[in-house]
Amino acid sequence: MKKLWILLLIFPVLFLSTNSCEDSGGDDGSSADSTAILSGYVLNSENLEPIHAALVMIMEHTENSTRTDTYGFFELEFELESLEGIHLIAAPTGYIADTSSTIWISPGEIEDSISLRPIPTDDILVPSGDAASIILSKVTPTSIGVRESGSEEVAAITFVVLDSTGTPIDADHSVDLNFYVGGSPGGGLFFTPSTAQTGGDGKVTTYLFSGDSAGVVQIIAAVDHPGRPIKSKPVAVVIHGGFPDIDHFSVGPEDRNMPDRILNAVNHVTAILGDKYGNPVKPGTAVYFTTSACIIGGSAFTDNMGRAGVDFLTAYPMPNEDGIAWITAQTADENEEIIEVHNFIVLSGLPELSVTPTEIDIPNDSSQTFNYTVADLRGNPMAEGQTIEVAIEAGDVDITGDTKIKFGDTIDSLFTHYRFTLTDSEPDSINRNKVVVRIKTTGDNGNEELLLEGFAH
C-alpha cells in the first residue's frame, strides 16, 4: 500500500482540457454511426465490492460523465469523428481516483469490458490539483413556485469543482466560482451569492429566489480564469405558477354538441388555470366540477400547464327545455375564496325536417328555390358526423345548392338552415312531368326523411 501511495504521488498528472469539445457528429450531430459506447464496472480495489454513485468521466471529453448504479455499473455514450485514444477516470467520494489505460475506440464501436478500481482512502488526506471541471452536486428542491404562491420559493444549488483526476479541489487550490443565469422567464428572479469561494471539499452553494414569472431557469457556474475559463453544464430549475386567478380561469368541453339519444357517450372537459401573471398555476392545484345534467367527474388536479380534465358522460337526467347541460368548475384563489367559471354542452335530440315551399311547381325553362331546416325539437343543430342528402327521385330537373352536408362540431343555429334550387332541364319540352325530391338526414342523432313532390312544366 505504501508503494502504491508513493507511485500515485509521483505519477504524472494527465492534462485535462477544460474547454468543451466540438460536436463530432454528422450534419445534425446525432448520427448513430458516430456514437461510441463505453461500459463496465467500478469496484473497490481492496474487496472488489461495487461502488455506487461513483463519478465516471472521459478525461479528453469532460462533458461526458455519468455515475454508477447500485451494482457499480456505468455506461457512457459519446460522439467521435475518427479513431481516438481516450482515458476513463473513476472518482468516487472517499477513494483515490483510478484512471484507465488508453482505450482506442472508433465511431460506432462498443467497449463493454472496462474495470476501474479506485483505492479507498481510509481518511488519508489526498491533495488535489488545480481546478479542471465543474459538476452539479445537488439541487434542492428541483422546482419552486413563483413569489407569494404558497410553494417553496428558494432552491439551493450546489456545485463541486474537480481537478484533472476527478478529485474535489482542496483549500490550497480553492477558486472563486461565479454564477450566471442562462435562459430564464425573468420576472425579478435572482440568486445569492453571485460569487463564492470553494471550501476544502471543493463545493459551493448558491440560492435561487423565484420572481413573479413561471418557466425554466438555467444556472451556470464558472471559474473565470483568463484564457482558461471553466464552465459547468447549465442546471435547470423549474419555477411553477401561483394561485388561480379568476381572469385566467376557463373551462370547456372537447365536443360542444352531443346526441342525447346515446347513453354513456364520453366527452372530455378541461379546466385551464392561470395565476395573476398569466402563468400556469402550480401543479397539483385542485379543481371541482359539477353539471346541471348528465354525469361529470368530480375533481382533478392541474398539470404543469395548469390543465385539469375530467370525463363528461351522457346519462340521466338529460337537460330539459333548451337541451343545454351547464358545466361549472371551481377552485380557490390566493385569498382562499371560491372562484368558478361556467360553460355548456348542447345535447341535441332527434332531427326534424321542414321545407318551404312545400310543393314543387317549376315553370317551363325556369327554376324554383326551396329553404329547408334540419334541427332538433329545440332548434339546436345536429351533432358532429350527422349528414344531410338532398336527391332527385323523379323528374327532368337539375338540382344545385346545399345537397350534401356533413355536420362538424357546432352549436350555432346558423347550421340548421339550408337551401337548394330545382331547374327545368328540358326547356324545349312542353310535357308536364312529375318531380320527386327526397331530403334525408342520418347519423347519431337519428334518421329522418321528407319527400317533396310536384311538377315541372
Side-chain angles (χ1 to χ4, degrees), residues 372-374 379-381 402 407 410-418:
Y372 70 98
T373 299
V374 181
N380 293 317
D402 301 322
F407 283 88
T410 182
I411 58 174
D412 194 335
S413 61
L414 289 175
F415 292 93
T416 62
H417 302 289
Y418 302 94

Side-chain angles (χ1 to χ4, degrees), residues 95-136:
Y95 290 79
I96 299 173
D98 185 28
T99 305
S100 70
S101 57
T102 303
I103 301 170
W104 291 97
I105 192 165
S106 298
E109 286 188 349
I110 298 175
E111 175 59 59
D112 58 3
S113 59
I114 302 168
S115 179
L116 296 168
R117 302 184 180 185
I119 302 169
T121 59
D122 294 329
D123 298 326
I124 298 173
L125 181 62
V126 181
S128 75
D130 291 330
S133 62
I134 305 168
I135 63 172
L136 175 68

Side-chain angles (χ1 to χ4, degrees), residues 109-190:
E109 286 188 349
I110 298 175
E111 175 59 59
D112 58 3
S113 59
I114 302 168
S115 179
L116 296 168
R117 302 184 180 185
I119 302 169
T121 59
D122 294 329
D123 298 326
I124 298 173
L125 181 62
V126 181
S128 75
D130 291 330
S133 62
I134 305 168
I135 63 172
L136 175 68
S137 177
K138 64 179 179 179
V139 180
T140 307
T142 56
S143 63
I144 55 179
V146 297
R147 188 181 304 138
E148 299 179 0
S149 67
S151 299
E152 291 186 73
E153 300 177 14
V154 183
I157 308 169
T158 302
F159 294 90
V160 58
V161 182
L162 307 177
D163 67 9
S164 59
T165 68
T167 302
I169 61 173
D170 54 30
D172 292 335
H173 296 85
S174 65
V175 293
D176 287 336
L177 210 57
N178 300 311
F179 303 102
Y180 303 95
V181 174
S184 84
L189 63 86
F190 66 96

Side-chain angles (χ1 to χ4, degrees), residues 371-392:
N371 295 296
Y372 70 98
T373 299
V374 181
D376 70 4
L377 178 65
R378 309 173 186 95
N380 293 317
M382 299 292 96
E384 184 174 11
Q386 188 84 8
T387 62
I388 306 171
E389 184 176 2
V390 183
I392 299 170

Side-chain angles (χ1 to χ4, degrees), residues 6 36 43 58 76 84 100 147 158-159 202 212 256 269 293 303 328 353 361 368 371 376 384 395 400-401 457:
I6 293 172
L43 308 174
I58 300 174
L76 276 168
E84 185 175 343
S100 70
R147 188 181 304 138
T158 302
F159 294 90
D212 56 23
R256 300 301 308 274
V269 174
D303 62 13
T328 300
L353 300 177
D361 186 13
Q368 185 180 16
N371 295 296
D376 70 4
E384 184 174 11
T400 57
H457 302 278

Side-chain angles (χ1 to χ4, degrees), residues 30-62:
S30 60
S31 171
D33 292 337
S34 65
T35 301
I37 301 176
L38 300 174
S39 65
Y41 292 87
V42 178
L43 308 174
N44 184 316
S45 63
E46 292 188 354
N47 56 23
L48 300 185
E49 291 289 329
I51 302 175
H52 173 59
L55 175 68
V56 181
M57 180 168 43
I58 300 174
M59 296 180 66
E60 289 78 10
H61 303 277
T62 56

Side-chain angles (χ1 to χ4, degrees), residues 31-319:
S31 171
D33 292 337
S34 65
T35 301
I37 301 176
L38 300 174
S39 65
Y41 292 87
V42 178
L43 308 174
N44 184 316
S45 63
E46 292 188 354
N47 56 23
L48 300 185
E49 291 289 329
I51 302 175
H52 173 59
L55 175 68
V56 181
M57 180 168 43
I58 300 174
M59 296 180 66
E60 289 78 10
H61 303 277
T62 56
E63 71 277 12
N64 291 290
S65 64
T66 187
R67 290 187 181 272
T68 57
D69 63 15
T70 305
Y71 304 100
F73 177 78
F74 69 88
E75 183 175 273
L76 276 168
E77 291 188 14
F78 63 105
E79 304 297 314
L80 283 177
E81 289 184 348
S82 60
L83 177 68
E84 185 175 343
I86 64 171
H87 299 83
L88 283 180
I89 182 169
T93 302
Y95 290 79
I96 299 173
D98 185 28
T99 305
S100 70
S101 57
T102 303
I103 301 170
W104 291 97
I105 192 165
S106 298
E109 286 188 349
I110 298 175
E111 175 59 59
D112 58 3
S113 59
I114 302 168
S115 179
L116 296 168
R117 302 184 180 185
I119 302 169
T121 59
D122 294 329
D123 298 326
I124 298 173
L125 181 62
V126 181
S128 75
D130 291 330
S133 62
I134 305 168
I135 63 172
L136 175 68
S137 177
K138 64 179 179 179
V139 180
T140 307
T142 56
S143 63
I144 55 179
V146 297
R147 188 181 304 138
E148 299 179 0
S149 67
S151 299
E152 291 186 73
E153 300 177 14
V154 183
I157 308 169
T158 302
F159 294 90
V160 58
V161 182
L162 307 177
D163 67 9
S164 59
T165 68
T167 302
I169 61 173
D170 54 30
D172 292 335
H173 296 85
S174 65
V175 293
D176 287 336
L177 210 57
N178 300 311
F179 303 102
Y180 303 95
V181 174
S184 84
L189 63 86
F190 66 96
F191 52 86
T192 186
S194 58
T195 301
Q197 189 176 43
T198 58
D201 56 359
K203 293 181 179 180
V204 172
T205 298
T206 188
Y207 297 90
L208 171 67
F209 290 77
S210 64
D212 56 23
S213 298
V216 176
V217 184
Q218 288 184 323
I219 303 297
I220 301 169
V223 178
D224 296 328
H225 285 322
R228 193 171 64 87
I230 305 169
K231 289 186 177 181
S232 70
K233 291 181 180 180
V235 176
V237 178
V238 179
I239 300 178
H240 293 300
F243 287 102
D245 175 65
I246 187 61
D247 293 330
H248 298 88
F249 187 14
S250 56
V251 65
E254 185 174 350
D255 298 318
R256 300 301 308 274
N257 190 332
M258 302 177 71
D260 68 0
R261 64 190 295 268
I262 302 176
L263 289 179
N264 199 36
V266 180
N267 196 352
H268 194 68
V269 174
T270 302
I272 304 174
L273 291 77
D275 63 15
K276 60 186 177 182
Y277 303 107
N279 301 128
V281 296
K282 59 183 178 180
T285 298
V287 184
Y288 171 72
F289 296 86
T290 186
T291 178
S292 64
C294 301
I295 299 293
I296 194 169
S299 63
F301 298 92
T302 56
D303 62 13
N304 288 340
M305 288 303 297
R307 297 169 297 204
V310 293
D311 285 336
F312 175 94
L313 303 180
T314 51
Y316 291 105
M318 290 293 181

